[in-house]
Amino acid sequence: MRKRISSRRRVKRNPSKIIKRVRKTRIRTRPANTFELQVFRMVNEERTSRGIAALTLNSMLTDLAVLKSRDMRDNNYFGHTSPTYGTPGQMLNRFGVSWRAYGENIAAGQTTPEEVMRVWMNSPGHRANILDPRFTDIGVRYVTGTATSRYQTYWTQLFIQKP
């Protein structure tokens, strides 16, 4: 079984709102692998072929994307609201990422970059995130499943528009 879901938020952060400081968590990740770089390249090919500016690969978003993928795998869920980090916007805020708008694409079960990109581009919500001209940065990660996880792979794309 393969799943896909997208989240799109057009919310501006309210700078006058008091935000609790969250203890910074050290994120230990590995360098992006070939699959993730291929997805990044394919996203930018889709954008530039339509006259939309290419995205910048953002290391913090990439680190958060792997945390999200691991969280879905390890906590046996598939969705935008994490039992650990909350919504994508809450996760971005928790780790100190400044944003004007954000989007998240997740997928599970796809085994190649071509397959996950085909699924995302054939879904209106995912396609909208990939082609949203407001977004400036992207992070992409996937993790493999475990013997007890529901899916073989978990993919996450995080997009932001910088303020």
Side-chain angles (χ1 to χ4, degrees):
M1 176 189 265
R2 294 187 178 136
K3 290 277 191 175
R4 63 186 199 275
I5 191 166
S6 70
S7 173
R8 188 174 181 169
R9 299 284 185 252
R10 295 178 188 225
V11 180
K12 291 186 180 182
R13 285 180 39 184
N14 183 347
S16 64
K17 187 176 182 181
I18 298 172
I19 299 172
K20 291 182 181 177
R21 290 191 179 251
V22 178
R23 187 169 34 119
K24 291 207 175 195
T25 303
R26 181 168 290 234
I27 303 169
R28 294 182 185 165
T29 62
R30 59 175 169 68
N33 72 24
T34 304
F35 272 11
E36 293 147 345
L37 293 174
Q38 286 176 5
V39 169
F40 170 67
R41 190 189 79 249
M42 286 188 272
V43 164
N44 278 336
E45 286 173 359
E46 292 288 349
R47 291 173 65 90
T48 58
S49 71
R50 292 165 175 81
I52 304 166
L55 297 171
T56 299
L57 187 60
N58 181 306
S59 62
M60 177 57 110
L61 294 180
T62 298
D63 288 347
L64 295 180
V66 77
L67 287 181
K68 176 63 181 257
S69 292
R70 285 179 187 163
D71 188 52
M72 289 189 293
R73 177 194 66 196
D74 297 345
N75 290 304
N76 201 26
Y77 76 96
F78 182 77
H80 291 289
T81 302
S82 160
T84 308
Y85 304 109
T87 67
Q90 290 168 331
M91 185 179 195
L92 293 169
N93 290 342
R94 177 178 181 177
F95 288 94
V97 177
S98 297
W99 53 272
R100 180 171 293 162
Y102 71 87
E104 177 183 71
N105 287 347
I106 58 176
Q110 295 78 14
T111 57
T112 66
E114 294 81 10
E115 184 180 9
V116 76
M117 280 299 294
R118 185 178 64 251
V119 167
W120 280 334
M121 290 305 290
N122 287 328
S123 163
H126 295 97
R127 182 182 181 93
N129 280 341
I130 290 168
L131 300 178
D132 191 324
R134 296 174 306 151
F135 293 142
T136 56
D137 291 54
I138 187 174
V140 182
R141 274 300 170 99
Y142 91 102
V143 298
T144 56
T146 64
T148 58
S149 62
R150 186 172 174 187
Y151 299 102
Q152 177 180 348
T153 57
Y154 294 83
W155 299 80
T156 302
Q157 288 181 321
L158 286 171
F159 304 88
I160 63 165
Q161 176 187 24
K162 287 186 175 178

